[in-house]
Amino acid sequence: MSLLNILIAPDPTLKQKTKPVVEVDDDVRQLMDDMLETMYEAPGIGLAAPQVGVLKQVLVIDVARQDEPPEPIRMANPEIVWLSDTLVSNSEGCLSLPEQYAEVTRPDRVKVRYLDETGTRQTLEADGLLATCIQHEIDHLSGILFVDHLSALKRNMILRRMAKWKRQQAA
Ligand code: NI
């Protein structure tokens, strides 16, 4: 396994659409494992392939608490097949927007269909933090960041802060 470089917004790769995985093969499994290692190291609870510069429909999630055993979820070609009418607002962050948090309103329950690491089709119904995380990560596969759900004013404020942060990191 190896750690991958996480792209920081604003970055054109984070705004691009991804392609479905043709087959969940060893390369895809390796990508999933590397993404999980990178996510745990960060640390974070979700990571999508575009965040490591790979324009494929692959994401990983683990919302288990620190005092609980890990519960890694690996998804290829995830597709939301149902969203609840009930909405909920949660504070969201993103490994591509370090130290930035904002309230995002989304459906509070979701049903998602995907291929697991063995290529088997799975359906998962989720609520709470997992439901939020699934929607956030699937957004990444369409080039959507959590700040895209905010007003232009708030979004631009955060993106300007990130651009400054990147300049400081580079200096
Ligand atoms: Ni994110």
Side-chain angles (χ1 to χ4, degrees):
M1 299 223 281
S2 53
L3 288 177
L4 306 170
N5 183 40
I6 298 177
L7 300 178
I8 303 300
D11 186 299
T13 301
L14 293 172
K15 303 306 297 171
Q16 288 182 40
K17 290 220 163 75
T18 53
K19 289 217 166 73
V21 165
V22 177
E23 188 196 349
V24 181
D25 57 13
D26 285 345
D27 287 346
V28 172
R29 276 187 283 276
Q30 183 69 56
L31 173 65
M32 288 168 162
D33 287 347
D34 288 345
M35 284 171 60
L36 272 173
E37 191 186 2
T38 304
M39 181 192 84
Y40 288 132
E41 170 76 17
I45 59 171
L47 189 65
Q51 294 181 273
V52 294
V54 178
L55 294 173
K56 285 183 183 163
Q57 292 179 9
V58 171
L59 59 86
V60 295
I61 290 175
D62 189 340
V63 297
R65 292 198 315 262
Q66 295 232 307
D67 57 346
E68 293 173 337
E71 288 173 27
I73 300 174
R74 299 162 172 89
M75 292 187 184
N77 304 351
E79 187 190 348
I80 290 176
V81 291
W82 177 80
L83 291 166
S84 66
D85 293 331
T86 322
L87 304 178
V88 66
S89 292
N90 283 304
S91 177
E92 292 189 25
C94 180
L95 292 176
S96 292
L97 293 140
E99 291 164 41
Q100 307 302 318
Y101 301 91
E103 290 276 318
V104 178
T105 303
R106 300 181 188 270
D108 74 343
R109 281 183 297 143
V110 60
K111 195 190 270 187
V112 61
R113 204 176 284 158
Y114 63 98
L115 299 175
D116 69 13
E117 62 274 23
T118 68
T120 307
R121 183 180 283 275
Q122 303 282 355
T123 305
L124 176 66
E125 198 169 336
D127 59 10
L129 180 58
L130 182 56
T132 299
C133 193
I134 287 170
Q135 293 173 75
H136 175 120
E137 300 312 329
I138 289 179
D139 269 357
H140 273 298
L141 305 181
S142 305
I144 298 168
L145 303 175
F146 82 84
V147 291
D148 293 317
H149 292 279
L150 309 176
S151 68
L153 187 74
K154 279 189 194 166
R155 175 170 57 251
N156 291 334
M157 197 173 70
I158 290 177
L159 289 176
R160 270 200 304 274
R161 235 183 269 152
M162 289 319 315
K164 189 178 166 195
W165 186 89
K166 284 174 86 170
R167 280 197 303 274
Q168 284 169 347
Q169 297 286 309

